[in-house]
Amino acid sequence: MALQDRILGRVNDLIVRRPTGVVVAFLLVTALFAPGLATISTEAGTEQFTQESPAQTALDRVNEDFGPTFDSEGGSTQLIHRGRNVLSKPELLRMLRVLERLDSREELRVESTSSAASTVARTLDPSATTLDAQIRAIESASPGEIDRAVRAAADQPGFRTQLSEDFNPESASASATIAVVQHRIPGGVDETAGMGADSPLTSIQLRAQRVVAAMGGDIVVFGSGLVAREFSAIIFDSLFIVVPAAVTLIFVFLVYAYRNPVDLVLGLLSLVMTVVWTMGFLGLVGIPFTQLLIAVPPLLLAVGIDFGLHAINRYREERATGADIRQSMALANRQLLVAFFIVTGTTVIGFSANTVSDLGPIREFGIVAAFGIVFTFLIFGIFLPAAKVTVDELFDSLGIPMPFQRPLGSEGTPLGRVLPVGVAIARRAPTAFVVLVLLGSVGAGYYGTGVDTAFSQDDFLPPEDNPDYLEELPEPFRPGEYTVTERTNFLEANFEAAQGDTVVVYVQGPMRQDDALESIQRASQHPPESFVASDREADSQSIIGVVRSHTNDSSSFARLVDRSDVDDDGIPDDNLEAIYDALLSSSARDRALQFITEDLRSTRVVYTTKGDAEQGAITRDARTVADRYRFEATATGAAVVFQDVADAILASAVQSLLIALVLTALFLLFIYHVLVDRVSLGLVNLVPILVTIALLAGSMRYFDLPFNALTATILSISLGLGIDYSAHFVHRFADEYELRLDRADGETGTETPMAAVFPALTATVTGTGGALTGSMITTVSGIGVLVLAITPILGQFGVLTALSILYSYLTAMVVTPSVIVVWARFVG
């Protein structure tokens, strides 16, 4: 207690005796953080979450050994062509002329193109290897010749994958097709990695968009560069909608809560400083601003508003007793600094628990939020009181009265008559009520264990069509036009390759071994349910397919394979090194190297999965097939990587919650032992938080809100924010309780502890309860506006955070009084 008193005394002396110096010092620090705002970078999309996934590591290794889907020396652009029949002569010519125009633009760095139109042209004229020659081939052909060429091309590898699923060879018709343009980009672009909106591929695709649009028709440009640009635009568009709405709502409620223009300005200034410090820190340390970090400013506003209202309200309580300015602030801040420290310590624990996550963006979220809460404590615990003393003394010296200084929730006000409802319950049946609440919480928590876990690119995509209320917003708040969702949905709905998925099994072993190819064949037999199969064999692409294909092209190779096929099943199981040497020295070399490394130490097998298969089932089945290989085999691919992230999200949520709970409990036990020598009050402080978490988990399942990249943080966040309410309540009660016990001992020495409980509770709910109510209303509405964000993931987070704050307030005000009465009866 002596150390605590010395620290509090020094801080209070600094605030009360040198308030102007404190204000100047904090403004200077703000000026130091401000330049960091200009250096904030952005990062968006799913890649930020997959970087540390084991499946992603395996996929990166596959790309290193065999090359990514698109050559890492460049990048690709897709041209989506829609129409009544994209295989008609006019439409084929339209696509070829677009490709020719793109190829002629040097700044687009076109390396090669591929399209169904080119395939049809080469079928008509095998010598038509250039786009110009292909255009002439189509122009000189009759519609009937083109239809026959389409039917002939239908059997060529890859032709059907470029056409929509409604392709009809007999009528030579399809409603959509995809052409691919490969680009030369200095230094290369790996399209499986995250790219910013300033990527070379982004600028290329924006230019390609303008070129294609100028030519007219139903051809649109799509590619990872444009997707990256839209992801970045979504972040800023969301902020441009959410921040003004939040500021407006917060301003309206703070006007009522403060009821004083000077106090309102001081509170808002403190909030702005908190955001500047935190976002400036973000830029100075080089952490990119991701979609997860959009949630940080509203969270800081939530805690900052609470701290500000408590600081001003508690000061007004002391002023109402007749104390002067400095004395009132010294008394108020002496109590509030302890409460703020408890809240800060537990909230930092709650946020920091996310740093144990295996996902980098969630770790960064925990770091930034934790630093932001510390900044909030310093600004509202030291700067705001000093600024309040400075301003009040200035007004007092000028003889200007300070209006509207009555505390919120004081007795006799409408709010003051509602707040003691929890105390009324605690007077009548506290034990029964606590038991009922605990049983309900156990039920809600058990129900919440069934909440879904999900991770996909869809979490980060805007809706296909913006809601009407967003379209009605005036400029500059109206969001932009987004194409990525509509085009992604179109591809998935109309193209077999997009509608289904693939998984890759990466095999490491001596592929020279005689049974290496037999092992691939055996693993592919009797495939699991989610795999596409025919004749009880998985639909796959592997080195076996290259061997079979080259057997048809080369008679000498066919004889080599026949001599090496001991069991006569078409798969060589002897002399494999000679077979690989023959492949790699033939025209099939490039195809072979797509599936086997030149040192013959690893291979990849690509399996096709059903379009309606769930991500979790695909992942389980892929790992089942990988386990069938005799060599070391790893399942990977987009579906497996995303499922890895989904599993990591759930593990992160549970792990961070357990760590936060344990550390918070230890912190509260220690702090209440130090402060009031009542360790058990730490457990009293924790009960409302456990109830809040259980209710929140149950609400997530009830409202069908899954654990995803952002909502995974909500449990530890609800612990951090929930402590804000219960800590203020319990700490104020402890002060009032000890004060009444000391007063009773001084007067008679016979007063029982129970006699001091209800007066202390009443003083707590009418004093602290008013500030808690104002904070709850302001922050629920301020954070709730995240539902206006363009991406679904932010809307879900806004709903859950608002529910978390509402539940924390209700449990603090309604449940805590009964818990305290039970504690007083059996422990206190």
Side-chain angles (χ1 to χ4, degrees), residues 536-732:
R536 294 183 295 179
E537 185 167 342
D539 182 2
S540 63
Q541 301 173 56
S542 69
I543 189 64
I544 292 177
V546 180
V547 170
R548 286 172 172 166
S549 176
H550 195 55
T551 298
N552 296 328
D553 297 337
S554 170
S555 57
S556 61
F557 185 75
R559 288 192 295 273
L560 174 62
V561 171
D562 186 60
R563 290 195 303 270
S564 305
D565 185 7
V566 177
D567 55 7
D568 201 29
D569 63 351
I571 307 296
D573 40 26
D574 191 16
N575 204 25
L576 291 190
E577 189 164 359
I579 288 176
Y580 298 143
D581 287 343
L583 275 180
L584 296 177
S585 60
S586 71
S587 60
R589 174 183 173 83
D590 290 343
R591 281 183 293 150
L593 288 177
Q594 292 178 13
F595 297 101
I596 193 167
T597 54
E598 198 152 10
D599 63 4
L600 309 182
R601 296 193 60 82
S602 58
T603 187
R604 71 168 176 173
V605 184
V606 182
Y607 293 98
T608 304
T609 59
K610 296 177 180 177
D612 59 352
E614 294 183 358
Q615 186 172 281
I618 291 173
T619 301
R620 288 192 299 272
D621 291 347
R623 287 172 176 160
T624 298
V625 171
D627 289 341
R628 295 177 180 177
Y629 284 82
R630 297 187 61 180
F631 305 122
E632 181 182 348
T634 306
T636 185
V640 180
V641 170
F642 281 2
Q643 186 59 41
D644 256 12
V645 175
D647 294 340
I649 284 171
L650 180 60
S652 171
V654 174
Q655 188 178 29
S656 61
L657 176 64
L658 292 176
I659 291 173
L661 279 174
V662 171
L663 293 180
T664 297
L666 293 175
F667 178 81
L668 290 173
L669 292 174
F670 170 77
I671 206 70
Y672 279 104
H673 169 69
V674 171
L675 294 178
V676 292
D677 198 24
R678 296 181 186 274
V679 175
S680 52
L681 272 180
L683 297 179
V684 171
N685 206 149
L686 201 59
V687 171
I689 309 309
L690 296 176
V691 175
T692 294
I693 292 171
L695 291 175
L696 195 62
S699 297
M700 289 184 71
R701 181 177 178 185
Y702 182 78
F703 293 114
D704 196 25
L705 299 173
F707 275 121
N708 56 36
L710 187 51
T711 59
T713 62
I714 195 63
L715 295 183
S716 57
I717 286 173
S718 65
L719 187 149
L721 291 179
I723 287 290
D724 193 342
Y725 290 87
S726 65
H728 279 300
F729 192 102
V730 174
H731 180 260
R732 179 66 181 271

Side-chain angles (χ1 to χ4, degrees), residues 373-392:
I373 293 300
V374 173
F375 295 153
T376 305
F377 168 71
L378 295 174
I379 290 170
F380 283 90
I382 299 175
F383 168 79
L384 179 60
K388 177 64 174 169
V389 170
T390 301
V391 171
D392 278 14

Side-chain angles (χ1 to χ4, degrees), residues 9-28:
R10 289 178 181 176
V11 174
N12 260 334
D13 284 347
L14 186 66
I15 293 170
V16 173
R17 295 183 181 179
R18 300 178 182 176
T20 304
V22 171
V23 170
V24 171
F26 271 76
L27 292 177
L28 288 175

